[in-house]
Amino acid sequence: MSKSYGSGAAQVDALRSVDLTVERGDYLAIMGQSGSGKSTLMHILGCLDVPTSGSYRIGGADVSQLTEAALAEVRNRRVGFVFQQFHLLPRISAVRNVELPLIYGGMHPRAARRERAEEALAIVGLEDRLSHRPTELSGGQQQRVAIARALVTDPDILLADEPTGNLASDQATELLSIFDTVHDAGRTVVLITHDPDVARRARRQVRIRDGQIVSDVNKPA
Amino acid sequence: MSWLELFRGALDSLLERRSRSILTVLGLLIGIAAVILTVGLGEGAQAQVGSAISALGTNMLIVTPGSVSTAGVSGGLGSASTLTLADASALSNATDCPQISQVAPVSQHTASLAAGTNTWTAPVVGTTPSYLAIRDRQVVLGQPFTAGEVQAQAHVALIGTEVVQNLFPSSRTIGRTITINGVPFSVTGELNPAGSSANANEDNLVIIPISVAESLFGSRGPYAQSLSQILLSATGPTTMSAAYQEADSLLLELHQLPTPAAADFTITPQTSLLATASSVSKTMTVLLGGIAAIALLVGGIGVMNIMLVSVSERVQEIGLRKALGATPGVILRQFLIEASLLGLGGGVLGVGLGVGGSLLVPSLLHAPIVISLPAVVGAVVVAVGIGLCFGVYPAARAARLSPIEALRSA
Ligand SMILES: Nc1ncnc2c1ncn2[C@@H]1O[C@H](COP(=O)(O)OP(=O)(O)O)[C@@H](O)[C@H]1O
Ligand SMILES: [Mg+2]
């Protein structure tokens, strides 16, 4: 598949004929320079954007054939997405941010939702920051709220765009062990990183340059 | 996602943006209240003018000497004092004028009054007992004079409340004597308070028999009894124009005038006064309504601004909500409920303020006010419509974007 932004002279080809298959239960690290198209690829994998040409299939279903409602359900149930810029709602508390996907998933009752969101925040070590607003949290803490929000629906696929970029190294290590746990539970994990140490924990390392995959290495188990 | 959840989410979202919500509600509220109050004031003034005119007497026609349309011609005929007692008694002939029920000749002059050491100046009306019926005046103390007393040229007088206050500040009036231009009269009755009409103070008034007025104010011989007016009343509101026709043709005949254009008198139906006055106050209502509509428009533009300013922030929020699994339908319903709640809040408070203000205004401004249902409904519909359009339309557009497109927009 390919993805380009704009048109005419201003056209940017962010992805050029990328062919990638991610197996269920894979643990994938995507690496590449800034502007190489990593985030663009990730957004398409998470059904947040669509390729300009070519196709993307998730669980055998062609995403371009899905209705808006079906896409919403895929985003809600199957994918947990951690944005590079976190994208938390600034005016509501951490626990209510984490609750949002459960609300859209139709989970009842409220108390059960709240409990589940609190559990997810406990996993990322924020059990004592439940009612803080994102603006009252540090960058690393916001990052972890975003990860709790991605994990709270127990998705098949966890996608994380530079999740350790804002963290001190001991926090990063803690976080990576969370990803390891998620992967060990049979989930598919895809993360973007610059850090070779982080990439080394993944089972498969994909390098991307100028919108093309230049290497795809499976670490021997 | 259930409606209850949506409702709760919309309410939370409004509370999170407390100042924006308050400003929006305030904009709607002020616009709606302004419309209700200004239209109410206009309609109140219209109703007041209407009732002031009908208080002058119902079904009344006023015949005055001289012609408005042919003033030059009638002046050329040598006299503007063309109405006589003979005219009045001819008009009261039931066979010639079946649609005219009552006739009152009026001879009015300003005179100096005195009672003991008190003196006063007031219009003195010489007339017959029919005057009271036609003008809808009552004698609240004592008795009106009778047709027999008119015949007998009795020196009796009915006095208005302002005359009472000035001549008899602290004593009874009935049976006492006043002098009019030095001639003694016995007070037989007091008139009801009637306030001021369009052109006269109805309480500063003395009424005496027409037969006495003739000699009191010096007529110029038996033929030239000049009257100020002849008041007529029609048998009912629907016979006003028939009565007008009867009076017009009879007077033309009596005055030996060949065409209506030559008329040396003018007949003014009370309805035409009413029509003129109510068209004036209708113009006023339209003017006030226009001002109110502008107030509503300004309020609406304020609301629109507040909503559009926050829309880029909201577009990102929509992108995020979609990324977390919200369908476009859920997004749309959330914004619809938010805008409806704002519209409802502004509408209810605006109607409350407008109606509450309408109840207070009469005592504060001494102006009557009418709560106009079309104004209330129209203002609410327009204000809520503005809220819905500018609250929901941008959201509906954003809900169609992909989550990333929406998140990127700033
Ligand atoms: N919405 C957009 N409009 C135009 N160009 C874009 C947009 N998003 C990304 N790009 C361009 O596409 C390329 C890839 O971007 P991105 O996927 O964000 O790279 P990375 O995440 O690897 O840094 C860059 O050149 C970037 O400038
Ligand atoms: Mg990126």
Side-chain angles (χ1 to χ4, degrees), chain A residues 3-6 10-15 31-43 49 84 161-162 192 194 208 211, chain B residues 404-405 408:
Chain A
K3 175 79 182 179
S4 47
Y5 298 104
Q11 181 169 326
V12 177
D13 296 316
L15 293 179
M31 294 183 294
Q33 286 180 336
S34 179
S36 56
K38 306 183 295 294
S39 294
T40 304
L41 176 61
M42 197 72 132
H43 294 151
D49 212 349
Q84 197 168 357
D161 197 342
E162 302 192 21
I192 291 176
H194 289 297
I208 183 167
Chain B
I404 288 300
E405 282 175 297
R408 283 254 171 76

Side-chain angles (χ1 to χ4, degrees), chain A residues 9-26:
Chain A
Q11 181 169 326
V12 177
D13 296 316
L15 293 179
R16 308 157 195 250
S17 308
V18 168
D19 190 351
L20 181 71
T21 305
V22 181
E23 300 293 340
R24 183 181 290 270
D26 233 343

Side-chain angles (χ1 to χ4, degrees), chain B residues 215-279:
Chain B
S215 51
L216 185 64
F217 298 115
S219 58
R220 284 163 282 150
Y223 300 109
Q225 302 299 344
S226 79
L227 295 177
S228 317
Q229 294 179 329
I230 299 175
L231 302 183
L232 309 174
S233 71
T235 49
T238 52
T239 56
M240 287 285 280
S241 59
Y244 180 101
Q245 289 302 328
E246 289 170 7
D248 196 44
S249 50
L250 182 72
L251 288 174
L252 286 172
E253 192 186 317
L254 283 174
H255 295 191
Q256 297 174 340
L257 299 166
T259 63
D264 54 359
F265 57 87
T266 304
I267 305 176
T268 311
Q270 193 72 88
T271 44
S272 79
L273 258 178
L274 193 66
T276 309
S278 71
S279 89

